[in-house]
Amino acid sequence: MGAFLDSVPFSGIIRIRDMMYGVDKPFRLDQGDVSFDAPDTVKQALIQAVHDNRSHYVQTTGIPPLVSAVAAKMRSKNGIPIGNDEEVMVTAGGIHGVYVATQGLLEPGDEVIFPDPLWPPAAGCIQAAHAVPVPCPLRESLGWRWDLDELERAVTPKTRAIYINSPNNPAGGVLTRADLEGIAAIAQRHDLWVFSDEAYEDVVFEGEHVSIASFPGMYERTIPIYTFSKSYAMTGLRLAYLAVKDPAVRDRVRKVLFYTVSSVSSLVQYGGLGGVVGDQSVVEQFRTELGARRDLFYDGIRDAARGILTGDKPAGAFYAFLRIADDWTPPKGAADSRSWAMTEMLISRGRVGCIPGVDFGANGENHIRFCFARDRKELEGALESIKAVFRG
Ligand SMILES: Cc1ncc(COP(=O)(O)O)c(C=O)c1O
């Protein structure tokens, strides 16, 4: 790795986070973190694990009760034909899941087609595996979904895999069952793998969440990846899981898991177990509240941004990915990128954290992302502040 890592970019999200630490009384709509706290089922299980002295080494792929619980969940909720619990591995958050999966599957020079725009660490992990991320634009006119003909045209003899992320961060597009059937057909026609990043499976407002790994013959060539971060408000606890059917690839992924963390924190795994086996109504409560915050934010931004920031409500995830009007003139001396210019203006003049669309890919330029999973007061404060900036 060494010097090779110089060619792997850092996410602009980190640059924004550092900028936000210097802002007094900021509105943190930049980070993809929910304002909810982890449910009591998680907290009680964590506390119990402390009392039970669960502080020793545990299995690399996860403590057996958690592995069994998430395997059962993937079978029943996601319809994935997990055969043996051994196919499942627990990771230190979704980003680690993406890292171990890409390191375990990819060869140097393999091309991986991925959606543009997309959460930047996905492309970073592909690059860190010495593979080549190949962006394929999501079309705003299609509700931020792929044109599948365009997707298939991006396939070359070097293509090894397609990275899908539905619901999508940052644009909120949700792939339909027909989209996923089309992607599955492309994968089968060209003998490709699929990384299926389902981090936002529980945050769907319109349509349904379907795992491509549930389709006939697809689990064999798909690595589905899930996280506790969004569904159980456990972003800081770092817990996620994935499944790999192919024994050779699974062994490689397991080695990367071992050499990066040995195992995920024992306490955190017990906490997550409490979440999965406990009352699931909290997941639906989160989704309902996020839907209300989505409406609040979109109703507010119409008035606050006076046509300068516009866009349709997302079908899933918890981000507003808004288009910057062509007739908006950036302040003098602003960055060349219009989305960076808008971001810097809203942070410096309005104290409102947001992320430039170009950070998610070239197709995201001229857009800006706000996270509406913050609490209502923070959203209202941010909207007032945005309004003042645009009036000014
Ligand atoms: C698309 C996507 N995948 C995966 C993740 C991973 O989240 P975590 O590492 O917190 O589990 C995120 C987090 O924002 C995400 O947006």
Side-chain angles (χ1 to χ4, degrees), residues 32 92-98 118-119 121-122 163 165 167-170 197-200 225-230 234-236 238-240 318-319 369:
I95 190 168
H96 185 224
V98 173
L118 177 64
W119 175 67
Y163 190 105
N165 170 227
N168 166 268
N169 172 10
D197 175 347
E198 303 179 34
Y200 298 89
I225 304 166
Y226 299 92
T227 174
F228 284 73
S229 285
K230 320 292 174 175
M234 285 173 58
T235 49
R238 315 308 304 137
L239 190 64
F318 41 64
Y319 306 100
R369 191 196 78 172

Side-chain angles (χ1 to χ4, degrees), residues 42 67 72 78 169 240 242 258 306 380:
V42 171
V67 169
N78 305 114
N169 172 10
L242 51 76
F258 178 74
R306 304 168 135 203
E380 281 160 357

